[in-house]
Amino acid sequence: MARTLRRFAWATGLVCIAIGLFHVLAGNAAIPGATDAGATVDSLGRFFGAVFAGYGLAWLWAARQDPVPARPVRWLAAVFLLGGAGRLLSLAEHGWPHPFQVALTVLELALPPVWFWLSDADERAFRQRRPDGAPTAEQSVPTREAT
């Protein structure tokens, strides 16, 4: 499960960065149904694209830690879940969006429970490998004994 968490975090980070940069570069063209939405929506979309790319960088940061820290994974998952909740509020207030947005809502509500479930997998595996926290033989640096 620890390997799954690390790979999932890497994949999430890379996908979020790609999506974010696409929104920064394409503006309204990146939003289904919003190609003629105007300068205000274009500006907002490009701004949030940069924020989403930064969110992806946070996932990559977490994935590079050894062990992958559970607390940041939970926070990142919670932010994603909050985005899905925001989409639900929009649906309740304004009705059904473009079908692609509905699919994104499903992902934003379905993936966080998986991240929450996996969040401490690498920390648990790390404790099982070295319960005392001491370095492994490969991590130890040989020392010269005084003669």
Side-chain angles (χ1 to χ4, degrees), residues 95-132:
W96 290 95
H98 188 279
F100 185 70
Q101 303 296 330
V102 174
L104 292 176
T105 304
V106 170
L107 286 175
E108 292 159 355
L109 298 174
L111 292 178
V114 176
W115 287 320
F116 288 130
W117 176 62
L118 289 172
S119 65
D120 67 344
D122 202 26
E123 288 180 350
R124 280 185 283 118
F126 183 80
R127 284 191 300 271
Q128 288 174 352
R129 287 191 310 263
R130 297 300 296 176
D132 61 353

Side-chain angles (χ1 to χ4, degrees), residues 2 8 18 49-50 62 77 80 84 128 142 147:
F8 195 23
F80 207 69
Q128 288 174 352
T147 55

Side-chain angles (χ1 to χ4, degrees), residues 3-29:
R3 183 178 296 152
T4 301
L5 171 63
R6 187 174 302 277
R7 287 181 179 167
F8 195 23
W10 270 103
T12 300
L14 293 174
V15 168
C16 290
I17 290 168
I19 292 169
L21 292 178
F22 176 60
H23 279 267
V24 169
L25 297 174
N28 284 347

Side-chain angles (χ1 to χ4, degrees), residues 12-21 24 46-62 76 79:
T12 300
L14 293 174
V15 168
C16 290
I17 290 168
I19 292 169
L21 292 178
V24 169
R46 290 177 196 261
F47 172 80
F48 283 124
V51 172
F52 201 58
Y55 175 76
L57 289 172
W59 273 108
L60 293 184
W61 171 85
L76 291 166
V79 168

